[in-house]
Amino acid sequence: YCAKEATVKALTDLGISDILYNDIELLNDENNSPHIKISKHSNIDIKVSLSHSKNQAIAFVVAQKIF
């Protein structure tokens, strides 16, 4: 959930506000690293870093438009 929330916040900074949590997919690539997929906006590069402990989780997302 925190990855989706961080993604929405990063996209809002880019002026993209039509994203719902259901639009965001958190997947693993071939190296088992997490990545974000949003089918509505294929022109956005999204990097995500995740960490957690027993009681807390954190996600850091960087998003940029691809021109």
Side-chain angles (χ1 to χ4, degrees), residues 8-34:
V8 168
K9 289 178 180 180
L11 294 177
T12 300
D13 285 347
L14 292 178
I16 300 169
S17 60
D18 63 339
I19 299 294
L20 302 173
Y21 288 121
N22 290 341
D23 299 326
I24 301 167
E25 289 184 79
L26 180 62
L27 305 167
N28 290 331
D29 65 13
E30 61 276 354
N31 297 322
N32 210 26
S33 298

Side-chain angles (χ1 to χ4, degrees), residues 20-49:
L20 302 173
Y21 288 121
N22 290 341
D23 299 326
I24 301 167
E25 289 184 79
L26 180 62
L27 305 167
N28 290 331
D29 65 13
E30 61 276 354
N31 297 322
N32 210 26
S33 298
H35 70 98
I36 300 287
K37 179 182 174 186
I38 301 174
S39 57
K40 277 183 168 181
H41 296 280
S42 59
N43 64 333
I44 299 172
D45 182 35
I46 302 173
K47 305 293 186 204
V48 60
S49 178

